[in-house]
Amino acid sequence: MSRIRLLISILLFSAVVSAQNYGVAFYHNFKASEYGGHNRSFDIECDSLGHVYVANFEGLLIYDGVNWRMTHTPDISRITSLYKSHDGRIWFGGCNVLGVCHPTADSVEVKFLYGDKIPQRDKIRFGEIELMYERNGEIHFITDDDMAYTFHNQQVVCNGTASSIVELTRLISNSRNKTRFTIPDSHLTITSQIGEGIKITAPDGSIISTLTTANGLCSNSITDIAYDGKGTIWGTTDNGIFAISASPVYSRYGVDEGLKGQITCLLENDNTLYVGTLLGLYRLKDNRLHRMEGIEQACWQMTKSEQGSLLIATADGIFECKNDVLRQITKRHALSIYVKPDGKFISGELDGVYLNDLNGNSDIIDSKTKNVCKITLIPGTDKYRYISLDNPDSNVLFSYTDEKNNTWTTRDDGSGLTCKNIPKNLKKWLTPFDELSIQAMYIKDDVAWIGGAFGLYRMNLDIATQTSPYRPKAYIRNFSVDHGNLAFEIASDKLDIVGKTMYSYRLNDDDAWSTWDDDQKINSANMAVGDYELTVRVKDANGDIVESTTIKFSIPEPWYWSWYSLLLYLACGMLGVYGLSLWRMNRIRQQNEQLEKIVNARTKELKEAHAQLVRKEKEATAGKLTKGLIDRILNPMNYINNFSHLTLGLLKDLAGDITDATDKAAKEDDVQDAIDDAEDIMSMMQQNLEKIEQHGLSTTRILKAMEEMLKERQGKIEPTDIASICQQTTDMLKKYYAEDINGLNINIEWNKPEYPIVADVNAEQLEKVISSMLSNSVYALKKKKSAKPTIRLAIIPPSGTEPPAIIIWDNGIGIEESSIDKIFDPFFTTKPTAEAPGVGLYLARQIIEDFGGKVSVRSVKDEWTEFTIQLP
């Protein structure tokens, strides 16, 4: 029924539409550089699986919907004739060459049956094959010297001259008339003649379209044409291969038909289609676009006057077209026109809105609104709405209302033409316009004219509504799996000349489909071992989606991972290691022999230099430590010596007092004074012993500090959350110094970050450093006793290339400017000797530097002190 409706539509179409203005069918030229053969071809055939076969000057060409493949004959001669037998095989032949193609969904097997380099018994030679045909299940062919042959029992048999075989006369005549055929679906007749290109004829005999080199066809010298049964006409010429869309729905006009410039507006008047472009005004006549002299600039809008003439808004002003004669009414740059019922018209122009009449009289009615690109009447009023290009909120997108009051619209960029109130079947035919930016549209008598930068397209809506486009089939071509590398190609049996075909695939039913892409060649490397089910699908230019049959395949475990391969690898590895070891040992022995003399000669010198270097290092280290150590130990030792000396003297005095007291007691004198003196001496001795003990303890602390300095710090450095360490140290400080913190009302400011801040440190050693500095802050606040004693602990997060840092600040006694450069020296301290050995800050800096960081200090005497610990 669809074919009957299509035939009726075509008959009606040919009756009501001028054949001269049908347009040019869409086509595509294949150049020799594209298909990889000679310019000249002689014959062409198509099979049902989407393959195209071409008899080329260089050999047999096959197109599978993805690639062109050239097969040369054994004796490197040309192919001149093709024939499709009833079983779907494609026979081909040339000069003394005969072969057959066996097409499958995956590929085409080409087999040569006869030729100079193919062994045959009772071989005969024949000329170039002009035509081939099938009779009684056998292939027959006729050569250029009018000889008839049969391929029988794998042999070529000569039957004499073709003209002498009477029963072949009609068959030969029909076979040679391959440049004329009728398309079954549309009943359009396609004819070609040498030098005249392609003609498409309607069933009533009228010529609908002609395609020649004037329209861009690769050549007028057409040698053969074939229909693939899917809407495409294929042809061969002496200058390439072409494919033409046989659809009666689409045709087009372009530069070859006289059109120049981007189309901006379309309108029909007096049975003539007028086309406005950026380069002037055109009218369609005799299937060509003719430029109308007088308008040299852009045409922006066309409309009909109340008198029936055509009004055109252009960059040169407003023109009237009547009986194909142009008359200029105004000279100002006009963008839009609106005709009033009284015959006058409003024009939107660059400098405002004007009221005009056909006599050229103009009055400005709105000077504030400029660059008016659209004028519409406000419903129910006598007022007008002006849409300006200067108004960013105005909607100036493409919109067209046809004679049936259907509104056609596009997306913001002008692409995606659509209409809500059209049949569903028609929407498929609109899909090829999805990627085109449409600027103008006009519909009359179910024929749509669509224009833009792409040219002028003609679309028969009636035929499109009553027919459905061919639904393509999807095929997997050239499938191969090699060592986990998958390669295949996706093909459609339909060549979309209007629009674009897209492809997608998946490797298993539960996998997601790949994104739609126009790439037909798929490669997937290093696939995992397992079973797969490959399915491909095709979306043609009309939006129809079809899937192919599934190909099941497996990726086996590679042989090089088998147990015997692994055993071989192990054996080879062991042999390799053994051989490498022998080579290495031999090489080392040779090197040792060469270096032995040098080593012996330099050994003594190196030992002496090393010993001297070690000695100097030890002396330097010992000197620096000893200097500080002597200063620190000498002071308490002086106290110990002095108080010891004083205590010895007091002991002598005490002994004397005891003797005096004894003598006085013997004499019965008053012994109270002697006892008082003894008590004073004992008190002084007690004080001296306390001092001795105190300075002895100081000496012990100094020695222990020295021991701590010399101790090796080998703790593990690893990524650590320094915020947690600061929290633990703060908690310990509050607990250990609770009495001082509460007594002095010390405010400890510490806000733990919301997220971990990580640095490469040793947690235990970093805790000692922070604890030591916080203890110093408490000491400084105790000494100052300020009104608002504060300790501030903060962490600066890493930023860019800057590492994290810890800030410890207090408003205690501060540090003298003269001492600030010495506080990190060993055994230097601003505290009394009895309170600190002076190695805390020295050890803190050493620990941080071992991490790869550094410590710095800033201070103002009697105001504040701030230590900054920069971590790696």
Side-chain angles (χ1 to χ4, degrees), residues 29 344-345 373 601 726 742 868 870:
N29 291 322
K344 294 184 179 182
F345 59 92
C373 61
C726 291
N742 295 329
T868 300
Q870 290 184 339

Side-chain angles (χ1 to χ4, degrees), residues 467-573:
T467 59
S468 297
Y470 172 79
R471 185 176 176 84
K473 297 179 181 178
Y475 293 99
I476 300 174
R477 309 285 201 210
N478 303 316
F479 176 86
S480 66
V481 179
D482 183 22
H483 300 298
N485 299 321
L486 173 65
F488 63 93
E489 297 169 348
I490 311 174
S492 169
D493 67 342
K494 171 188 174 183
L495 178 66
D496 281 322
I497 301 176
V498 184
K500 183 184 291 186
T501 305
M502 306 297 284
Y503 307 91
S504 178
Y505 71 95
R506 65 183 180 186
L507 293 175
N508 279 307
D509 288 342
D510 54 351
D511 290 346
W513 287 98
S514 66
T515 56
W516 289 110
D517 198 334
D518 58 356
D519 187 10
Q520 297 177 256
K521 300 181 180 181
I522 311 300
N523 292 282
S524 182
N526 301 321
M527 293 185 63
V529 175
D531 297 327
Y532 297 89
E533 292 184 0
L534 172 64
T535 306
V536 302
R537 61 179 180 173
V538 171
K539 179 168 66 173
D540 68 2
N542 299 103
D544 283 329
I545 299 176
V546 293
E547 297 182 14
S548 78
T549 56
T550 299
I551 292 182
K552 296 183 179 181
F553 66 96
S554 299
I555 304 294
E557 190 79 32
W559 62 269
Y560 46 82
W561 286 119
S562 59
W563 66 269
Y564 51 83
S565 298
L566 295 176
L567 186 61
L568 179 62
Y569 298 154
L570 179 61
C572 293

Side-chain angles (χ1 to χ4, degrees), residues 657 660-661 664-665 668-680:
D657 289 341
D660 292 342
K664 289 178 181 181
E668 296 181 355
D669 294 334
D670 188 10
V671 296
Q672 187 60 42
D673 291 339
I675 294 173
D676 292 339
D677 291 340
E679 289 178 351
D680 290 340

